[in-house]
Amino acid sequence: MKRKPRGAAAAGDAGCTRGEASGSSEGEGLVERLPEALLVEVLGRLEVDDACSAAASCRALHGAAAAAISSITTIDLSAFAPSNAILSRILEGNGEVRSLTVNCSLLDDSSASVIAKGSLRELSLLKCSFTLSFFMAIGERCRDLRSLKLEVAVAPEVLYSRYSGFSTCLAPIYAGCIYLETLWVKFPLLDPHTADSETGLPFLQSNLKELLLQPVSHSRAKTVFPRITSLTKHVTDSLESLSLVLDTMTDELVMLITSNVHNLVELCLEDEPVTQPNLPEDLTNVGLQALGLCHNLRHLSLTRRYCDFRRVNDFGILMLAEGCKQLRAIRLSGFSKVSDAGYAALLHSGKDLKKFEVSNGLCLSDLACLDLDKAAPNITEVRLLNCALLTSDTAISLAPCTNLKVLDLSGCKSIADSGLVSISQLPKLTLLDLAGADITDAGLSALGNGRCLISSLCLRGCRRIGSNGIASLLCGTGTINKTLVSLDIGNVPRISCRAVTVIAKNCEQINSLCLRNCLLITDSSLEVLGSMSRDSSKCSLRMLDLAYCSKLSRNFLRLFEPPLFRGLRWLGIGKNVVQRRGCSPTVAELLERKPGLTICGNACDMGCRNKCHPDIRFLQ
């Protein structure tokens, strides 16, 4: 029977253990009467953790679960950090897996024995700290690997002593995985200004189509794009997608890219200069004009953190818009001198535009989005972040964009209730971010009675809303209480236990809930949330952020012991809880009882996205 690729969650609290059956003999007999093929088919449609839980109930389900898991072709274990033992139980006997993603925080080189499978085509290793022997095993056994994505979570002081240049670890990959087309190498703990001396730029295969390097200096990045005069095939001949996180973005580098990479479809450049760059070490209108020569470009992202692109104005953006008529996704950040004229030119440059994002657009106003439904009729995603001049008129002007699925207006503090009334009528909207907006409970009532099918909603820092607004949102005549999966109401001072109770009773499918810095949240709120998994057949809540909820008791972690919060995979508690002494249970004790749970004490955003830090057990 051919299995379709399917995502899989982390192993559950059962940990795929081979224990004795816990069900009654009568119940076991009923299950054993069913055809084994039927049981395998049913369990194969579950997530990995649910299949593991079922396996512990009786011998028939144990065998069916083992057979089902052994034939899964796509496995995603990024939601939690499995140990070597748990990973072995999940992957042993599976010779069919083609796509594997693993959070490697708790793994060592010995895990190569179960990770390195000949069937693999795509391998993503997150938060890993493996040595050369691990990568040698990958190169020897994964001969048909097409995609390798590495996130190396090693501190700078350890990196050089362990690797002496990370390119040596990739050498066996290049030697064995000759069909590799996608390579991501990320060192999120390194500073772009010193990364070259600690990592070295890896040798690049000539057949790569997608390349991501983070971080890399602009001087070292230039060596990837030499001026080729020989007949030798070079990486630039096949490269279609390029992403670089640099110390500084320059005209010279951009021109090297545009003149050498002729098949470029996607370009993402990000830099993090410590101070405002001086010429010639900066991006100007000249670089934007060179990008206009990439007529096949579909996706473009140019972002600067900490500083801004002061030498790019409307003229450079106009030249870019004139040359790149096929853009489908645009992401710009730090262009402080670009006004409505430049942004409007991009929005009107072609009918294929689907995604448009601007961050820190100091000169972007409501005028740029006028008639957007006519300029870009197929647009599905608009993100306008920290654009101080935007008001509710922008939200009103977006109302005719009936294909809009994602709307992010976070940091736009002048968005008020009138804008929310218009937003509530967008029929396909699934993600809405209004962090910091000036909305009230009345606006939430309009959203709760609207047509939106919102699955993800962020109201962080909306200080004028309260528990009454949450009740109006989730108890209205609309469908949001049936579609909402992710909700962020952190940093809202008037959110109380009543709001949590309303969420628990009206959103059984809630998967992610952020309550960080909600100072009225108490232990009783958590008891209500935890009972969702105990009293319902569903264990939907996977991630919960409680960082800096100061009214929680000293021993509030006891509320996360079984049977409460059965499906929880990530819990944010903040540094203040980690530093407490004499708590019962301790973090280590709770994690021992719930091996599928990750606890973050670093005040990360939900799920520790793009964050690498030691396991909390090593910090206590």
Side-chain angles (χ1 to χ4, degrees), residues 250-259 267 283-295 297 316 319-320 323-324:
T250 67
D251 287 341
E252 182 183 11
L253 176 60
V254 170
M255 288 189 287
L256 276 175
I257 293 172
T258 57
S259 60
L267 177 63
L283 181 68
T284 71
N285 288 336
V286 175
L288 271 291
Q289 186 175 4
L291 283 176
L293 300 176
C294 297
H295 302 302
L297 205 60
M319 296 298 293
L320 172 66
C324 300

Side-chain angles (χ1 to χ4, degrees), residues 62-236:
H62 183 280
I69 294 174
S70 68
S71 60
I72 292 178
T73 58
T74 299
I75 299 178
D76 185 348
L77 301 177
S78 60
F80 89 121
S83 64
N84 285 347
I86 291 177
L87 185 67
S88 178
R89 290 168 185 165
I90 294 174
L91 294 181
E92 66 176 353
N94 188 323
E96 305 295 326
V97 61
R98 298 174 67 87
S99 177
L100 176 63
T101 301
V102 185
N103 182 332
C104 305
S105 300
L106 302 180
L107 303 180
D108 55 32
D109 286 352
S110 65
S111 62
S113 61
V114 292
I115 291 178
K117 293 181 175 292
S119 60
L120 279 176
R121 299 296 183 272
E122 300 174 1
L123 178 61
S124 299
L125 303 174
L126 310 179
K127 303 179 182 180
C128 66
S129 56
F130 302 124
T131 61
L132 179 61
S133 62
F134 178 92
F135 294 102
M136 290 179 65
I138 298 296
E140 291 172 0
R141 304 175 193 171
C142 304
R143 296 289 185 175
D144 292 324
L145 199 66
R146 263 58 171 185
S147 172
L148 177 63
K149 299 180 179 180
L150 301 174
E151 181 185 65
V152 185
V154 178
E157 61 271 15
V158 178
L159 184 62
Y160 184 77
S161 61
R162 178 178 297 181
Y163 296 109
S164 299
F166 190 72
S167 56
T168 57
C169 290
L170 292 177
I173 299 291
Y174 294 139
C177 308
I178 60 175
Y179 302 110
L180 196 66
E181 296 179 344
T182 297
L183 176 64
W184 288 19
V185 182
K186 300 173 67 174
F187 290 87
L189 297 180
L190 298 190
D191 186 334
H193 301 270
T194 60
D196 289 346
S197 61
E198 293 161 339
T199 65
L201 187 67
F203 167 78
L204 300 176
Q205 288 178 302
S206 60
N207 56 323
L208 280 181
K209 294 183 178 180
E210 181 179 353
L211 174 65
L212 182 148
L213 298 176
Q214 174 191 342
V216 61
S217 72
H218 75 283
S219 58
R220 185 62 67 90
K222 288 188 294 186
T223 64
V224 180
F225 310 103
R227 299 186 181 280
I228 304 297
T229 56
S230 67
L231 298 178
T232 304
K233 186 178 180 182
H234 189 261
V235 64
T236 55

Side-chain angles (χ1 to χ4, degrees), residues 479-492:
T479 59
I480 190 170
N481 61 339
K482 297 180 178 63
T483 60
L484 193 62
V485 174
S486 174
L487 177 62
D488 186 339
I489 47 177
N491 297 327
V492 180

